[in-house]
């Protein structure tokens, strides 16, 4: 038997224990390019143990709801920033660490134009676009050593919109 998780809209406050929501909000920090561009400066806290920041492109298959969550992962050596390259929202699943294993997951849905940055060591679901194409720029740690831990749930969760 599976357990249910209701998707909630993502907000900076609700997501803060797990990472950062990166978006254009409020007034820009600077106006640049001859007054034609607002710069929202330094919005993600990249955090790496050794190695370097690298930019990769991910092209993920879209998933449908309800979504069966069987696996979460984390990256103990570095943060991981997902920047969608389309206007489509995507599903973000996270869990607090409970003595080395994930606690009960939470599910968020982004809005168009939002990116997310997972803190180093945050348990999270795999990349889960809800519409095609699922194209993302990803900034994460490139370096030697293992930077991936996976956890398979004994009983999967079913993630769905409320109601």
């Amino acid at each position: 038997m599976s357990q249910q998780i209701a998707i909630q809209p993502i907000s900076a406050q609700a997501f803060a224990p797990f990472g950062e929501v990166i978006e254009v909000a409020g007034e820009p920090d600077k106006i640049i390019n001859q007054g034609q561009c607002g710069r929202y400066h330094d919005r993600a806290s990249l955090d790496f143990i050794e190695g370097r920041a690298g930019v990769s492109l991910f092209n993920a298959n879209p998933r449908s709801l309800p979504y069966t969550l069987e696996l979460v992962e984390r990256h103990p050596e570095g943060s991981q920033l997902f920047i969608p390259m389309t206007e489509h929202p995507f599903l973000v699943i996270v869990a607090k660490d409970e003595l080395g294993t994930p606690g009960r997951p939470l599910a968020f849905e982004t809005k168009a134009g939002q990116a997310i940055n997972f803190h180093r060591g945050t348990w999270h679901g795999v990349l889960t676009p809800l519409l095609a194409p699922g194209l993302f720029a990803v900034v994460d740690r490139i370096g030697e050593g293992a930077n991936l831990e996976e956890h398979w749930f004994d009983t999967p969760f079913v993630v769905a919109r409320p109601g």
Side-chain angles (χ1 to χ4, degrees):
M1 177 165 220
S2 60
Q3 304 176 64
Q4 302 291 314
I5 299 173
I7 300 170
Q8 54 188 303
I10 201 165
S11 70
Q13 183 178 6
F15 195 69
F18 311 103
E20 299 151 322
V21 176
I22 314 301
E23 63 185 327
V24 172
E27 293 297 316
D29 298 298
K30 299 177 184 178
I31 302 297
I32 60 173
N33 296 342
Q34 297 173 310
Q36 300 303 307
C37 181
R39 179 175 174 150
Y40 293 79
H41 186 70
D42 198 21
R43 296 295 166 135
S45 299
L46 303 178
D47 177 20
F48 306 116
I49 295 177
E50 299 180 349
R52 62 178 176 83
V55 177
S56 303
L57 299 179
F58 288 20
N59 192 9
N61 293 326
R63 310 297 180 100
S64 59
L65 295 174
Y67 172 69
T68 302
L69 174 67
E70 300 173 296
L71 162 79
V72 290
E73 62 186 33
R74 68 178 174 178
H75 308 284
E77 301 292 320
S79 56
Q80 196 171 41
L81 172 61
F82 289 86
I83 306 166
M85 296 177 69
T86 69
E87 290 292 316
H88 301 308
F90 58 103
L91 187 62
V92 179
I93 298 171
V94 291
K96 290 185 178 180
D97 183 71
E98 295 182 354
L99 302 174
T101 61
R104 181 177 173 79
L106 298 172
F108 297 97
E109 186 172 355
T110 65
K111 294 182 287 189
Q114 290 179 318
I116 55 101
N117 183 42
F118 292 120
H119 291 314
R120 181 170 49 89
T122 295
W123 290 109
H124 63 87
V126 299
L127 184 56
T128 312
L130 298 174
L131 297 166
L135 187 59
F136 292 78
V138 178
V139 180
D140 61 359
R141 177 188 171 273
I142 306 297
E144 298 295 319
N147 189 31
L148 173 65
E149 294 178 21
E150 293 181 337
H151 177 86
W152 289 83
F153 293 108
D154 293 333
T155 303
F157 293 88
V158 174
V159 180
R161 290 191 174 96

